[in-house]
Amino acid sequence: MQTQIVLHHYPASPFAEKIRRFLGYKGARWQSVEIPMMMPKPKLMPLTGGYRKTPVMQIGADIYCDTALILDELHHRLPDPLLLHEASLSDLTLAAFADSTLFSAAVSWVFQPAAMADFFHGKDEAFVQAFLADRKAFRAGSSAQRPSLGQAKDRLAMALAGLENQLGDCRSFVWGASPSRADFCLFHPLWFIQQAKSAAFLLDDYPQVGLWLERMSHFGHGKPESISADEALRIAANHQPIAMHASQEAGVPSAQAAEGLKLGAIVEVKPTDYGMDAVRGRLCYADQKRLTIAREEEGLGLLHVHFPQIGYQFTCFDGTDHPPQRGTG
């Protein structure tokens, strides 16, 4: 029996919405753990070792960080031949644009003063100030600057016009009759704008985009079952991580797949954009797509934490007096 998918997330998270919709498209059963919107996250950190971005997927004692890797893992576990262009360069490029440039513009647009009241509806001023302080700390040291409000509006208009044109031949999804990775990545920034009612007017001039958003929304969220964070920790404690040879792609020598990495080395892994909290552990797997580190956590035992290569940097500690090796995925 396959171990249940557990998603650690909160309802307002756009990147979590990407995964929730993907689970809906797959018609998947999954367990939902609602985590705090901001630090501290005391029952998530033991699983990730410090990674704080949302969402995080857990399957037994395996912890998956970053939605790019989560999509890969879900598609592997819940295969669907109708997921078009799943590995094409055009789809990957459009998905990356949506997750970076488009998402950054959407955040700047939603966090304008006129729309922030919608985002923080029902929250008191103390919560608002704490959230803003948390996000400032989250972006500390980041070289990825958010666009100004004017830049955000221009970038969103450009993207929306392009998507409107792409859908203009009455195709149902970006590349045709079935959705692709890019559909889910494009959806979540626009969904985020929809949630801020006073900012959502920006979408009104794009009728084909509106119909596409409706089609994506009809996927729903699958079949979630709420569980507590303590239950998720017990699941981790009661499982062993999957054997890494089961994940290795045929013909790929994992020890040589990432330059400067040796299996068994102590490494630190962190994002290159923001939320740059390092996770330390022993490298137990690497290929062209992912890095996996093994961590021992008190009360939980052995955990494997998985990261995508792209968008992450590593520091390798070789146990000598030499400077650590650095690299980026």
Side-chain angles (χ1 to χ4, degrees):
M1 181 177 177
Q2 191 176 57
T3 306
Q4 187 79 11
I5 296 162
V6 180
L7 191 68
H8 298 258
H9 65 122
Y10 58 85
S13 166
F15 278 94
E17 182 65 11
K18 178 206 298 188
I19 300 303
R20 292 188 294 254
R21 291 294 169 188
F22 194 73
L23 288 163
Y25 170 70
K26 296 284 191 173
R29 295 184 179 276
W30 54 283
Q31 293 177 318
S32 169
V33 177
E34 186 168 338
I35 62 175
M37 290 178 66
M38 54 191 169
M39 296 295 278
K41 302 181 181 183
K43 295 183 180 179
L44 180 65
M45 294 302 100
L47 293 172
T48 67
Y51 177 88
R52 57 161 293 186
K53 289 186 175 185
T54 303
V56 168
M57 184 174 75
Q58 173 190 354
I59 300 180
D62 285 272
I63 312 301
Y64 299 88
C65 301
D66 197 288
T67 56
L69 180 59
I70 293 172
L71 283 180
D72 281 343
E73 188 67 22
L74 286 174
H75 188 50
H76 171 73
R77 290 173 177 267
L78 306 168
D80 181 355
L82 295 180
L83 192 69
L84 294 184
H85 294 260
E86 189 268 332
S88 73
L89 182 59
S90 55
D91 191 52
L92 293 172
T93 301
L94 184 52
F97 165 81
D99 280 347
S100 54
T101 302
L102 185 61
F103 175 71
S104 183
V107 171
S108 291
W109 182 251
V110 168
F111 280 3
Q112 62 180 293
M116 283 185 66
D118 295 325
F119 183 80
F120 290 113
H121 179 71
K123 306 294 185 182
D124 59 26
E125 183 62 21
F127 178 91
V128 174
Q129 293 306 314
F131 179 87
L132 295 176
D134 176 80
R135 289 308 188 262
K136 183 178 180 180
F138 187 45
R139 297 187 65 82
S142 172
S143 60
Q145 298 299 312
R146 287 239 176 97
S148 67
L149 183 58
Q151 290 172 328
K153 185 177 181 180
D154 288 344
R155 291 173 191 180
L156 288 166
M158 177 191 69
L160 287 165
L163 183 55
E164 182 77 8
N165 183 64
Q166 184 91 348
L167 298 167
D169 60 1
C170 296
R171 67 182 67 187
S172 295
F173 300 99
V174 170
W175 303 116
S178 297
S180 68
R181 174 188 295 265
D183 285 279
F184 294 95
C185 294
L186 287 164
F187 176 78
H188 75 89
L190 303 185
W191 171 86
F192 190 49
I193 292 173
Q194 284 183 314
Q195 307 314 297
K197 304 301 181 185
S198 59
F201 70 87
L202 190 70
L203 306 174
D204 292 345
D205 293 334
Y206 306 95
Q208 294 302 322
V209 173
L211 292 172
W212 169 81
L213 284 167
E214 289 181 15
R215 285 191 287 274
M216 294 295 294
S217 296
H218 286 160
F219 291 144
H221 291 160
K223 302 167 186 176
E225 172 197 358
S226 293
I227 65 170
S228 70
D230 287 330
E231 288 178 272
L233 291 173
R234 282 194 291 272
I235 290 171
N238 290 332
H239 285 80
Q240 287 293 312
I242 59 172
M244 293 315 299
H245 62 79
S247 298
Q248 186 167 329
E249 296 178 7
V252 177
S254 62
Q256 301 172 17
E259 185 178 356
L261 292 180
K262 295 180 180 179
L263 294 184
I266 301 301
V267 299
E268 285 186 347
V269 183
K270 63 181 180 179
T272 57
D273 49 8
Y274 50 84
M276 298 166 68
D277 301 280
V279 179
R280 179 180 281 221
R282 178 179 53 81
L283 182 70
C284 61
Y285 181 79
D287 63 20
Q288 295 98 331
K289 290 184 177 181
R290 75 169 68 186
L291 302 173
T292 300
I293 63 173
R295 298 179 52 251
E296 288 282 350
E297 182 70 29
E298 185 177 357
L300 300 181
L302 179 64
L303 303 172
H304 282 175
V305 187
H306 307 265
F307 299 91
Q309 284 264 16
I310 295 176
Y312 287 76
Q313 60 185 328
F314 60 85
T315 303
C316 182
F317 300 87
D318 61 8
T320 71
D321 293 331
H322 298 107
Q325 295 176 301
R326 297 181 183 275
T328 57

